Amino acid sequence: MDSTVALMLAQDGLVVGAIYILLALGLVLVFSITRVIFIPLGELVAFAGLSMVALQGGTMPQPIWLLLCLGALCAAVELVAFFKPPRDGRHLRNALAYAAYPCALWAVFAQLEQRQLPDALQVLLVLALVVPLGSMLYRLAFQPVAEASVLVLLIIAVGAHFVLLGVGLLLFSAEGFRAQPLWDARFNWGEQPVSGQSLLILAVTLSAIALLYGFFRRTLTGKALRAAAVCRRGAQLVGIGTERAGHWAFTLAAAIAGVCGILIAPLTTIYFDSGFLLGLKGFVGAIFGGLASYPGAAAGALLVGMLEAYASFEASAYKESIVFGMILPILLWRSLAAGKPHGDEA
Amino acid sequence: MKNTLSYLALATMWILWAGQAHADITIGISLSQTGPSASLGIPQKNSLAYWPKEIAGQKLKLVVLDDASDPTSATKNVRRLITEDKVDIVLGSSSVAASIAMSEVASEGQTVQLAFSPIELPKGKGEWTYRIAQPVGLMAAAIVKRMQADKVKTLGFIGFADAYGETWLKELTPRVEAAGIKIVDIERFARSDTSVTGQVIKLIAAKPDAVFVAGAGTAAALPQTTLRERGFRKPVYQTHGAATKDLIRVGGKDVNGTILPAGPVLVAEQLEAGNPVRAAGLAYVSRYEQQYGADSRTQFGAHANDAALILQRIIPSALKKAQPGSAEFRRALKDALESEKDIVISHGVLNYSAADHFGFDQRGLALVRIDNGKWTLLK
């Protein structure tokens, strides 16, 4: 392997790693605030990527039907809550919002069908479609059992993953699709060919990290979320609603998934079930940070991306084994570093 | 009133029971309608709609199950089909692993399995298993002959890191060596990979005269688009697993000029007028594309159609020996499969024997090239 090849692989690893970084951050975010290992994150990535394909083709993005169904379910759940004493007007308002938003978005998509939209508008529409799915999933699957053990939450997350996988097959069919690149430019940096799309991925990842950092450090909501992550009971005592924190966490994670989906759809063929493996690799990265540290997770995810690039060059038959095999030494190192065994609620 | 109701219930049950008893020939089908192989299983399920309602005066009862591309579910399905539904024959599954899993139970239950996937079984196994998909060896021989004609001396191989890629490598290696072609690099990739840059850089560095991609479905496009992106201009060969319109849709102009072996049904219109496969292929393709749109045909869907064509040949002769629902009838079906000559299906002409459970010959093969998004049959 000479330096040109090494650099090419590094570039490849960096781009793929950037996607894993975003996913790892999303997983850490959700886990630290709600203790849910958000396995369906990967499905949201695939949904976003395939919605992008649909919009580019001028058709109705299929997940709108999922949004309509989940919206109706959430509205029903909120209505039931409203009719239970003590009657709380908030539930009624929530129910209205859950029912109205998907319908409004559907109307927008119906208007735009068969039209070629500017890229920026397509990106916004995909996010408008995918981001609310996060909050709705939380409302339906996790909020009613927010105080359950990590294991129960994990089992629910796995269940949600299978449900979304089935829905994905129903919505998108079994075939794979590939989107047009958002930035179809090619540069030569020395001997290195660099594509516009990969620069875009790096730029978006860096700005997403900066935005998340700013959000958690500078805004009141961000600080409240951090408080909820550090100590749920303490946060509740000072008036930070853990339910709202949960909604925020899932919304942010869904936004991250949406961005990831839009970014990778032009890179590779996306299938209805492509997201799971991406999410799993993000998870390996997140484990590196103990599912708690953002810089640790980012470093781990970048390592996964790099390892994957070099492994695919050196020993492509064992690539996945190498990447997933990495989880063992990490767990060993983490449990040695932690010193004492963790309890269920650790 | 109460009495009427119970009579009514009894009558209904009797009709249902009687219906069951007279549902003459029961056919158990396990397909991968969901999961990673769903793109194979769904067109197969669709094609079942074109089956005849009866064969040789006997009603057909189809029990269709989904195995989710999972060998464990396939095993459970076929066990249920044999013990509970008492089927006379089992069909499926769509993918390699699930079909292999089924073959074990089929031979245990002494029931013929028509596999929709070209599975290789160890010697002594699969006595009751017959394939209606072309063996990889037949396809490999044809593509190697073409490579020789194209004056390829060195070959780069990139294949799926699963049973499909491995089978191809195993079948291809001795044949290219015999043809004097050297494999200079072997790489693997997975269907879900986001990037194959590493593999492609290494392939290009080995400077082969051509690259062979052993992948299935749309995923097979990724190595080829990456090769073209990185400036590889030499020929690329693909396998019949990639022979779908979706490869062209995803690969665009990067897959132009690709040569691959396929089932003749893919280019049914271009077959010679005297070829018996042409009529069988056109009959299927025209019905399927009328319902699902132009160019919607797949080789995989055709397997489900072919199963009906085979049954139309073997059921009449098996009926002469035994009645459906019995072990003798299942044995008679197996004997008929091996004794019937020249069974014409949309994928070729079959001649099964006790030793050969593939039954295909050169008539089951078409070498095609992608020319500006269309399949062209190479004569």
Side-chain angles (χ1 to χ4, degrees):
Chain A
M1 191 194 303
D2 57 20
S3 61
T4 331
V5 169
L7 267 175
M8 269 187 209
L9 294 177
Q11 188 201 333
D12 189 47
L14 201 63
V15 171
V16 179
I19 299 288
Y20 296 156
I21 289 178
L22 285 177
L23 290 172
L25 293 183
L27 286 167
V28 172
L29 177 76
V30 170
F31 183 76
S32 61
I33 294 170
T34 64
R35 300 172 306 132
V36 174
I37 296 177
F38 192 34
I39 298 169
L41 188 68
E43 269 68 60
L44 296 183
V45 174
F47 285 10
L50 291 166
S51 301
M52 194 71 193
V53 174
L55 277 178
Q56 285 181 344
T59 55
M60 177 87 77
Q62 303 88 332
I64 186 73
W65 308 115
L66 177 67
L67 189 76
L68 283 165
C69 290
L70 286 185
L73 282 174
C74 288
V77 171
E78 287 289 340
L79 274 183
V80 169
F82 172 68
F83 284 114
K84 267 191 210 148
R87 288 204 176 184
D88 189 343
R90 259 187 331 178
H91 288 306
L92 196 60
R93 278 202 303 278
N94 286 347
L96 270 177
Y98 277 130
Y101 179 80
C103 295
L105 196 64
W106 178 81
V108 171
F109 282 133
Q111 286 299 312
L112 296 174
E113 231 172 325
Q114 303 302 336
R115 259 189 243 177
Q116 211 47 51
L117 309 170
D119 285 346
L121 187 60
Q122 286 179 357
V123 169
L124 282 180
L125 283 173
V126 169
L127 289 178
L129 176 59
V130 173
V131 172
L133 289 176
S135 170
M136 288 178 179
L137 274 177
Y138 178 73
R139 179 67 192 90
L140 281 178
F142 299 105
Q143 190 181 320
V145 288
E147 300 302 322
S149 71
V150 174
L151 187 62
V152 170
L153 293 174
L154 173 65
I155 292 169
I156 294 174
V158 172
H161 155 69
F162 280 120
V163 170
L164 287 185
L165 203 62
V167 170
L169 179 61
L170 202 65
L171 292 177
F172 301 109
S173 84
E175 273 314 321
F177 298 89
R178 197 168 174 173
Q180 303 298 322
L182 294 174
W183 188 17
D184 199 5
R186 302 210 138 261
F187 307 96
N188 276 311
W189 177 58
E191 276 181 53
Q192 293 287 316
V194 181
S195 73
Q197 186 71 23
S198 52
L199 288 180
L200 196 68
I201 289 179
L202 292 180
V204 169
T205 305
L206 286 177
S207 32
I209 291 174
L211 274 176
L212 278 177
Y213 184 83
F215 175 73
F216 280 116
R217 294 278 155 182
R218 306 265 174 230
T219 66
L220 191 63
T221 317
K223 286 177 184 168
L225 283 180
R226 266 169 60 215
V230 170
C231 177
R232 287 170 66 78
R233 189 55 49 79
Q236 277 169 336
L237 286 176
V238 295
I240 296 169
T242 44
E243 280 184 1
R244 255 192 75 201
H247 277 284
W248 265 104
F250 274 76
T251 303
L252 281 173
I256 288 175
V259 170
C260 278
I262 293 166
L263 287 176
I264 62 160
L267 280 186
T268 181
T269 317
I270 306 280
Y271 293 84
F272 70 98
D273 61 349
S274 290
F276 177 62
L277 213 60
L278 291 172
L280 214 54
K281 284 178 183 157
F283 179 71
V284 174
I287 289 285
F288 198 83
L291 275 176
S293 146
Y294 290 96
L302 188 62
L303 186 68
V304 172
M306 287 291 179
L307 202 66
E308 209 178 41
Y310 285 101
S312 67
F313 182 83
E314 287 296 342
S316 55
Y318 303 105
K319 193 189 77 178
E320 308 287 20
S321 323
I322 292 172
V323 169
F324 290 114
M326 202 174 91
I327 209 165
L328 292 176
I330 295 175
L331 286 176
L332 188 69
W333 162 65
R334 290 222 54 101
S335 56
L336 286 179
K340 60 179 168 40
H342 285 285
D344 182 42
E345 297 297 317
Chain B
M1 185 64 209
K2 219 173 181 183
N3 264 341
T4 333
L5 199 69
S6 47
Y7 283 131
L8 207 65
L10 267 178
T12 322
M13 276 170 67
W14 182 78
I15 291 167
L16 282 177
W17 173 80
Q20 197 124 49
H22 288 273
D24 307 43
I25 298 175
T26 318
I27 294 153
I29 306 170
S30 175
L31 297 173
S32 307
Q33 294 165 46
T34 55
S37 303
S39 60
L40 314 182
I42 290 171
Q44 288 168 351
K45 170 83 184 359
N46 293 342
S47 302
L48 292 177
Y50 311 134
W51 273 42
K53 295 281 164 277
E54 52 183 57
I55 293 177
Q58 305 281 316
K59 272 219 185 70
L60 298 185
K61 183 184 164 209
L62 271 56
V63 185
V64 187
L65 302 176
D66 175 24
D67 60 35
S69 316
D70 170 30
T72 320
S73 310
T75 310
K76 269 191 223 146
N77 282 352
V78 65
R79 217 173 271 286
R80 187 205 121 164
L81 289 170
I82 290 176
T83 55
E84 285 177 37
D85 297 305
K86 308 247 182 298
V87 297
D88 295 301
I89 185 166
V90 290
L91 310 183
S93 175
S94 319
S95 57
V96 174
S99 302
I100 293 177
M102 282 177 70
S103 74
E104 195 72 20
V105 188
S107 72
E108 204 180 285
Q110 308 222 314
T111 307
V112 169
Q113 175 199 12
L114 293 179
F116 293 175
S117 167
I119 52 174
E120 296 287 343
L121 295 170
K123 268 209 164 64
K125 297 261 181 189
E127 196 203 332
W128 290 81
T129 300
Y130 298 80
R131 294 83 167 165
I132 51 180
Q134 293 87 342
V136 171
L138 182 75
M139 298 300 206
I143 200 80
V144 169
K145 222 168 126 195
R146 175 74 202 188
M147 285 175 194
Q148 257 181 317
D150 289 347
K151 304 204 164 43
V152 173
K153 289 274 167 259
T154 51
L155 184 70
F157 177 95
I158 176 162
F160 270 4
D162 66 7
Y164 187 75
E166 285 312 302
T167 310
W168 262 100
L169 185 62
K170 208 178 106 224
E171 296 289 339
L172 196 69
T173 311
R175 289 184 172 86
V176 290
E177 275 166 8
I181 300 170
K182 203 168 153 248
I183 297 187
V184 287
D185 187 28
I186 296 171
E187 295 297 326
R188 310 289 157 79
F189 74 113
R191 174 177 168 279
S192 51
D193 278 356
T194 35
S195 157
V196 290
T197 309
Q199 293 95 319
V200 160
I201 291 173
K202 203 163 171 199
L203 274 173
I204 293 177
K207 294 196 173 40
D209 291 338
V211 170
F212 185 83
V213 183
T218 18
L222 186 62
Q224 191 159 357
T225 50
T226 314
L227 275 165
R228 297 300 186 219
E229 231 167 67
R230 297 273 160 182
F232 186 79
R233 295 274 159 265
K234 288 171 182 163
V236 175
Y237 301 93
Q238 294 258 6
T239 65
H240 56 306
T244 64
K245 208 69 192 177
D246 299 293
L247 175 82
I248 298 174
R249 175 171 56 75
V250 171
K253 63 180 192 313
D254 286 338
V255 297
N256 211 11
T258 307
I259 294 176
L260 48 84
V265 67
L266 198 68
V267 285
E269 293 87 348
Q270 299 174 40
L271 297 173
E272 287 159 30
N275 193 335
V277 179
R278 181 185 151 98
L282 281 179
Y284 166 69
V285 162
S286 57
R287 285 174 91 174
Y288 194 87
E289 297 199 340
Q290 197 177 3
Q291 187 168 358
Y292 295 98
D295 292 328
S296 58
R297 79 185 70 170
T298 62
Q299 317 195 77
F300 320 114
H303 292 319
N305 175 69
D306 289 350
L309 296 178
I310 295 174
L311 290 177
Q312 277 169 331
R313 286 290 294 274
I314 61 170
I315 286 178
S317 82
L319 279 172
K320 286 179 201 142
K321 289 192 203 158
Q323 279 309 303
S326 64
E328 293 74 36
F329 185 69
R330 298 201 299 271
R331 167 66 69 179
L333 282 175
K334 179 172 160 58
D335 293 342
L337 262 179
E338 288 177 7
S339 60
E340 283 293 317
K341 293 278 163 266
D342 286 337
I343 306 177
V344 177
I345 59 173
S346 71
H347 265 287
V349 181
L350 298 173
N351 282 297
Y352 292 116
S353 68
D356 180 10
H357 283 199
F358 276 102
F360 278 96
D361 56 25
Q362 290 299 323
R363 288 172 287 185
L365 175 102
L367 214 52
V368 298
R369 187 176 58 214
I370 303 174
D371 284 334
N372 299 318
K374 294 258 177 266
W375 306 111
T376 309
L377 176 67
L378 298 174
K379 298 273 158 72

